[in-house]
């Protein structure tokens, strides 16, 4: 079987940084590129964070493409204060990494998605862990890609639990609910890794201490970056027992769907009115065949966490 090709679409904050490490460390997969989004920080900062982290992990062969700088329904983006509080002013927990040697690519992230869909077809997995603005723009530019791409496994949404920005809206969906609706209501095969499962999958300082003890640059940097996030979770009273592994769980599920149990649904995203950002089953398609979204509702967190630690520890040992 051909090796799976994976593209991450990241608004590189702390858990996106962990997603890069997981995708780099996982066997039998090629990380063929990263598309940058706005979200946890400005587009340019998120793109530069990805380049810095790839260099730290010895992955300078991976290209980074810039996506769109703001949502499909606005003409401007400002970083929310809560994003700075959770991810630090620089998005990566105030940890200073060297200016990357590699630059972002000239091609746009939207065109890179379209090109990769035509080139790799069903072997292509796309993992958006930020707003869906870039993928929605690619679908609008070339609607044929929804039938080509193997799977989109995204971090976002909340079906059986409340949102983390409003009662109903999760942060990534909240940034651009209209774009999320374009993606979810298309016929793309998708897996939703939302707050239903990511809030159950926690990392603590016991684990990050193991990375620091490796004595490597990457082990220390990743321990410091993640400890900032664990402290924020504690201080903001999001969870006093550790930080949620939102984005790396989506990468894990994209490669091994058996980490989660799912229900198949036709989904929509509400993008107007008081339920803005809600991810919910589409009543109009209740009796339609072949639901395209598998929504994760439970997770084997012990097995996932063990895999996560095995992969990342081995990676940080080398760098
Ligand atoms: C999601 O929002 C972002 O802040 C995180 O990186 C994650 O992708 C969690 O709601
Ligand atoms: Ca993210």
């Amino acid at each position: 079987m051909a090796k799976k090709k994976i593209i991450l679409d990241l608004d590189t904050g702390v858990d996106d940084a962990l997603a890069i490490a997981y995708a780099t460390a996982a066997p039998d997969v090629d990380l063929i590129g990263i598309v940058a989004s706005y979200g946890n920080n400005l587009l340019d900062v998120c793109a530069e964070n990805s380049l810095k982290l790839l260099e730290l992990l010895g992955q300078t062969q991976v290209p980074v493409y810039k996506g769109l700088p703001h949502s499909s329904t606005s003409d401007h983006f400002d970083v929310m204060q809560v994003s700075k509080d959770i991810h630090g002013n620089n998005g990566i927990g105030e940890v200073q990494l060297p200016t990357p040697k590699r630059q972002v690519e000239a091609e746009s992230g939207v065109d890179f998605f379209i090109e990769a869909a035509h080139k790799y077809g069903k072997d292509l997995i796309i993992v958006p862990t930020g707003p869906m603005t870039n993928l929605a723009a690619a679908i609008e530019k070339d609607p044929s890609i929804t039938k080509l791409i193997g799977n989109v496994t995204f971090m976002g949404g909340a079906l059986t639990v409340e949102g983390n920005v409003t009662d109903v809206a999760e942060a990534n969906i909240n940034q651009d609910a209209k774009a999320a609706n374009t993606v979810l209501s298309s016929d793309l095969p998708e897996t939703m890794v939302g707050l239903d499962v990511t809030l159950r999958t926690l990392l603590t300082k016991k684990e990050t201490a193991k990375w620091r003890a490796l004595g490597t640059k990457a082990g220390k940097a990743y321990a410091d970056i993640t400890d900032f996030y664990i402290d924020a979770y504690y201080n903001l009273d999001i969870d006093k027992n550790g930080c949620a592994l939102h984005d790396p769980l989506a990468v894990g599920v994209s490669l091994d769907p058996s980490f989660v149990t799912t229900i198949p649904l036709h989904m929509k995203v509400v993008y107007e009115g008081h339920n803005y950002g809600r991810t919910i089953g589409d009543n109009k398609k209740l009796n339609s065949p072949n639901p395209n979204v598998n929504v994760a509702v439970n997770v084997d967190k012990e097995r996932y966490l063990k895999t996560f630690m095995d992969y990342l520890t081995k990676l940080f040992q080398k760098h």
Side-chain angles (χ1 to χ4, degrees):
M1 219 176 72
K3 246 189 182 186
K4 290 282 179 203
K5 310 287 176 188
I6 190 170
I7 302 174
L8 305 177
D9 183 339
L10 311 173
D11 58 331
T12 307
V14 175
D15 55 331
D16 305 79
L18 294 167
I20 295 179
Y22 194 106
T24 299
D28 303 326
V29 58
D30 274 348
L31 175 58
I32 61 166
I34 293 178
V35 174
S37 177
Y38 67 93
N40 289 322
N41 215 307
L42 300 172
L43 172 68
D44 286 351
V45 177
C46 294
E48 177 151 309
N49 284 347
S50 291
L51 285 165
K52 285 177 176 168
L53 292 159
L54 286 168
E55 194 165 308
L56 176 71
L57 298 174
Q59 302 298 313
T60 47
Q61 81 286 1
V62 179
V64 174
Y65 301 82
K66 264 200 231 175
L68 296 159
H70 55 74
S71 84
S72 60
T73 51
S74 65
D75 57 11
H76 181 73
F77 171 73
D78 287 318
V79 184
M80 286 162 83
Q81 184 56 45
V82 65
S83 306
K84 296 181 189 168
D85 294 342
I86 295 176
H87 299 271
N89 288 313
N90 69 350
I92 46 174
E94 305 301 345
V95 170
Q96 301 304 321
L97 294 173
T99 307
K101 292 189 192 79
R102 188 165 175 162
Q103 309 280 308
V104 288
E105 303 304 300
E107 185 183 2
S108 80
V110 173
D111 289 340
F112 176 59
F113 275 148
I114 295 171
E115 186 192 293
H118 285 277
K119 190 163 172 194
Y120 299 113
K122 293 293 165 206
D123 289 327
L124 178 64
I125 304 174
I126 295 179
V127 186
T129 71
M132 301 260 210
T133 313
N134 301 324
L135 189 52
I139 293 172
E140 267 155 21
K141 191 164 178 186
D142 180 354
S144 76
I145 64 169
T146 63
K147 297 221 182 329
L148 300 173
I149 296 166
N151 185 268
V152 170
T153 301
F154 64 92
M155 190 288 133
L159 182 70
T160 61
V161 296
E162 292 169 354
N164 57 0
V165 177
T166 70
D167 285 352
V168 293
E170 179 280 330
N172 290 336
I173 303 289
N174 186 65
Q175 297 283 12
D176 193 344
K178 192 161 191 286
N181 187 56
T182 301
V183 176
L184 270 73
S185 63
S186 75
D187 54 2
L188 262 171
E190 293 169 44
T191 305
M192 173 169 138
V193 179
L195 298 176
D196 311 78
V197 285
T198 63
L199 288 179
R200 301 180 203 222
T201 313
L202 301 178
L203 194 78
T204 70
K205 288 194 177 175
K206 208 174 98 197
E207 283 87 31
T208 58
K210 290 185 188 157
W211 300 341
R212 190 174 290 105
L214 295 170
T216 60
K217 263 193 205 158
K220 180 177 182 328
Y222 263 88
D224 291 349
I225 291 169
T226 311
D227 280 358
F228 182 97
Y229 185 60
I230 294 171
D231 285 340
Y233 263 62
Y234 190 92
N235 295 331
L236 299 171
D237 207 13
I238 301 171
D239 199 319
K240 299 239 185 260
N241 298 308
C243 67
L245 292 175
H246 301 292
D247 297 351
L249 180 60
V251 179
V253 171
S254 76
L255 302 174
D256 180 357
S258 73
F259 281 128
V260 290
T261 42
T262 59
I263 55 172
L265 273 180
H266 287 290
M267 300 282 289
K268 68 172 183 181
V269 183
V270 181
Y271 57 88
E272 271 160 354
H274 70 284
N275 275 342
Y276 178 90
R278 185 179 185 196
T279 46
I280 188 72
D282 186 348
N283 283 19
K284 292 205 179 78
K285 296 187 191 163
L286 276 180
N287 287 314
S288 303
N290 306 323
N292 67 309
V293 189
N294 286 322
V295 183
V297 290
N298 211 341
V299 54
D300 184 348
K301 56 185 179 203
E302 286 79 20
R303 187 165 69 86
Y304 174 76
L305 198 62
K306 185 176 178 318
T307 309
F308 172 91
M309 283 305 288
D310 286 352
Y311 285 1
L312 271 67
T313 308
K314 248 185 235 156
L315 177 69
F316 299 154
Q317 252 160 12
K318 287 189 261 166
H319 300 282

